[in-house]
Amino acid sequence: MKNLINKITKSAMISVIVLGIETGVYKTEAQIREVQSDYLFSSKDTTSKIPKEEYDAIYGLFWPVYKHPIDFYQTDNKGRIRLENKKIIYLDANKIDLKELPESIGNLKSLGILYLDNNQLKSIPESIGNLKSLGILYLDNNKLESIPESIGNLKSLKWLYLDNNKLESIPESIGNLDSLKELRLDNNQLESIPKSIGNLKKLEHLSLVKNQLNKKSIKFLQELGKKGVDVIY
């Protein structure tokens, strides 16, 4: 079997895996995933197998919507999954009809850019706070009703897009995002915003168009504008 695997291409490897599922060679889902991860990101030049916990994370992300991670990776590293030093640094999972984000998403500790926009997400797991390298997070155009407090752990985050959701509140921990430059919250159901936003010393742009902001919040935004933040509401 080993000699056969060494000779076949990636696409053929997937066929072997599918055949294994059909014939019962691999009896459990865990066994199937282990075999898949062995060959997922290998190439002629280098064996770029990613850590198992990272593979489990993207497998858990794509499998519920009947997608396979290998379909999002290209050997030239320009696909919707991109690697650096055998770690996932870029993940584009927009427009795949995601309804739930697995807790294992927090395993992607080297992730710098994450696209989760234009899906059907209603919530985000607390484990999102483990993504300490994340610089850009797209969560716009979903059905989010809340954001976890752990969002405040993303100290490297510079751009956060939460527009076109169903958010009624934003956690106070948003004020802990020391690197944040842009925050978009347009077209939600916000009546107020946390004062902790005033702690964001690097904030350059804040957008809150099409919300139901109360007078107190509008006054607060006006004060932010006087401090040099480009505020739109």
Side-chain angles (χ1 to χ4, degrees):
M1 182 66 175
K2 275 189 177 179
N3 292 334
L4 175 61
I5 291 173
N6 288 334
K7 292 178 182 178
I8 59 179
T9 63
K10 282 185 188 177
S11 58
M13 181 59 206
I14 297 305
S15 299
V16 170
I17 291 169
V18 172
L19 179 61
I21 295 171
E22 292 175 349
T23 59
V25 175
Y26 307 118
K27 296 181 180 179
T28 68
E29 183 178 345
Q31 287 174 313
I32 296 166
R33 290 164 65 175
E34 184 175 354
V35 173
Q36 289 173 330
S37 66
D38 282 340
Y39 295 92
L40 180 57
F41 298 134
S42 63
S43 68
K44 292 181 180 178
D45 301 322
T46 179
T47 300
S48 49
K49 180 184 173 184
I50 62 175
K52 184 179 184 300
E53 63 270 17
E54 292 200 6
Y55 180 77
D56 286 346
I58 56 173
Y59 183 96
L61 181 72
F62 290 122
W63 193 253
V65 290
Y66 309 104
K67 308 287 185 183
H68 195 291
I70 202 168
D71 297 329
F72 292 80
Y73 176 75
Q74 297 175 10
T75 53
D76 62 4
N77 210 29
K78 294 182 179 179
R80 295 176 70 174
I81 296 174
R82 301 178 190 176
L83 312 179
E84 185 175 282
N85 297 322
K86 300 184 181 180
K87 299 289 184 67
I88 297 176
I89 61 167
Y90 177 102
L91 176 57
D92 181 354
N94 78 324
K95 295 183 180 179
I96 61 171
D97 202 32
L98 275 178
K99 294 180 174 62
E100 187 175 356
L101 200 59
E103 282 285 343
S104 57
I105 193 73
N107 295 344
L108 303 178
K109 303 293 178 60
S110 299
L111 196 62
I113 301 175
L114 177 58
Y115 289 84
L116 292 167
D117 52 304
N118 292 284
N119 283 297
Q120 306 294 322
L121 297 172
K122 292 184 178 180
S123 63
I124 301 296
E126 286 286 344
S127 62
I128 197 79
N130 297 336
L131 307 182
K132 302 297 176 63
S133 298
L134 200 61
I136 306 176
L137 177 56
Y138 290 88
L139 284 165
D140 50 297
N141 295 290
N142 277 285
K143 298 179 179 180
L144 294 176
E145 299 173 354
S146 63
I147 298 296
E149 283 285 341
S150 63
I151 196 80
N153 297 336
L154 305 181
K155 300 294 186 178
S156 299
L157 197 63
K158 294 182 179 180
W159 291 276
L160 176 56
Y161 301 96
L162 290 164
D163 40 314
N164 299 308
N165 279 289
K166 297 182 178 182
L167 297 173
E168 295 183 358
S169 64
I170 300 296
E172 284 287 339
S173 62
I174 199 84
N176 297 332
L177 301 178
D178 300 332
S179 301
L180 198 65
K181 291 184 176 183
E182 182 172 3
L183 175 58
R184 290 187 176 272
L185 291 161
D186 305 317
N187 197 22
N188 277 286
Q189 299 171 16
L190 299 171
E191 295 183 3
S192 63
I193 54 174
K195 284 191 174 182
S196 61
I197 287 180
N199 299 333
L200 302 175
K201 304 302 181 184
K202 295 185 178 181
L203 190 64
E204 298 173 359
H205 182 85
L206 174 60
S207 187
L208 285 146
V209 176
K210 292 185 179 180
N211 280 283
Q212 295 85 45
L213 297 172
N214 57 37
K215 292 181 179 180
K216 187 176 180 180
S217 292
I218 290 175
K219 184 177 180 180
F220 173 67
L221 293 175
Q222 290 171 341
E223 291 299 319
L224 275 181
K226 291 177 182 179
K227 294 178 181 180
V229 180
D230 179 22
V231 180
I232 304 175
Y233 58 91

